[in-house]
Amino acid sequence: LAGYGEEVLLGRSLLDFVADDDRQTVQDAFDAVLRGDACTRFESRWRCRDGSLRLLAWAVFADAARRAVFVSARDYTAVRATEDQLSTLWLAVEQTSQGIVVTDLDGRIEYANDAVSAISGYTAAEILGRNPRLFQSGQTPPAAHAELWAALARGETWQGEFINARKNGEVYVESARISPVRQPDGRITH
């Protein structure tokens, strides 16, 4: 993982390879185990031979009978990068002024961002689990819905307008773009 061979690692302190800013965290974890904690878990950055840093998730166990401390680590670098990317995406979706709705294949709403509530007047609790028909005013031509479902059945994106109604009955025109959500294997799941 780090590019070091046994000749470099054996006989050295773990702290020699931990990023400077994380040394106290690692020391505190070892101290806790040596004071009697059965196990402690933490994260720290490990300095690799090439100068890069890897984020590791650690577990430290004490075995008093053997007078030993066992350490295991898992490279968490890619997981954290993915979490950070998802967090940024989540914030962008939540903060956009555009309404975003995700339904299952039966048309039940599984997700609606805050903009949907702001636009429609319905709370998230009133939206989740319902069908988007909740927003219909009855004024959208039936052909628009038929075109929508035909496009989705072909796995295509549909774009058009709906004449919807807010919770208070006020009618508004919604410009919509509705796309199937595909999994990496091509299956449409939402």
Side-chain angles (χ1 to χ4, degrees):
L1 172 69
Y4 300 109
E6 283 185 20
E7 71 283 355
V8 175
L9 294 172
L10 292 178
R12 303 263 309 266
S13 169
L14 181 72
L15 291 174
D16 292 344
F17 302 97
V18 173
D20 294 342
D21 293 345
D22 294 350
R23 283 192 179 150
Q24 192 60 53
T25 300
V26 175
Q27 187 63 59
D28 291 347
F30 275 87
D31 289 347
V33 168
L34 293 173
R35 280 192 313 270
D37 289 0
C39 173
T40 187
R41 297 177 188 281
F42 63 95
E43 292 178 1
S44 71
R45 292 166 296 147
W46 179 272
R47 221 178 313 105
C48 298
R49 186 177 194 144
D50 66 6
S52 65
L53 294 174
R54 307 292 297 175
L55 179 65
L56 300 182
W58 298 88
V60 181
F61 306 87
D63 184 341
R66 291 187 186 172
R67 297 186 46 141
V69 175
F70 295 94
V71 181
S72 69
R74 182 173 56 117
D75 186 357
Y76 206 66
T77 308
V79 172
R80 178 56 51 84
T82 300
E83 287 174 347
D84 290 347
Q85 186 179 26
L86 287 172
S87 177
T88 300
L89 176 61
W90 176 260
L91 289 172
V93 167
E94 280 297 307
Q95 294 174 17
T96 185
S97 61
Q98 304 296 312
I100 298 175
V101 173
V102 178
T103 70
D104 64 14
L105 293 177
D106 293 324
R108 285 184 298 271
I109 298 172
E110 291 185 355
Y111 171 80
N113 68 349
D114 289 342
V116 174
S117 291
I119 293 165
S120 70
Y122 290 97
T123 66
E126 293 170 313
I127 295 170
L128 296 178
R130 303 277 302 272
N131 188 288
R133 285 188 294 269
L134 168 73
F135 308 119
Q136 290 181 1
S137 67
Q139 297 180 34
T140 301
H145 292 286
E147 290 170 15
L148 160 67
W149 288 110
L152 292 177
R154 293 188 304 269
E156 299 172 356
T157 295
W158 176 86
Q159 187 168 335
E161 290 185 345
F162 297 120
I163 302 169
N164 284 341
R166 293 183 171 86
K167 183 178 178 181
N168 67 7
E170 181 184 348
V171 173
Y172 66 100
V173 177
E174 176 184 16
S175 179
R177 183 176 181 93
I178 302 175
S179 300
V181 176
R182 294 181 188 277
Q183 296 304 310
D185 65 5
R187 285 178 304 116
I188 296 172
T189 57
H190 293 83

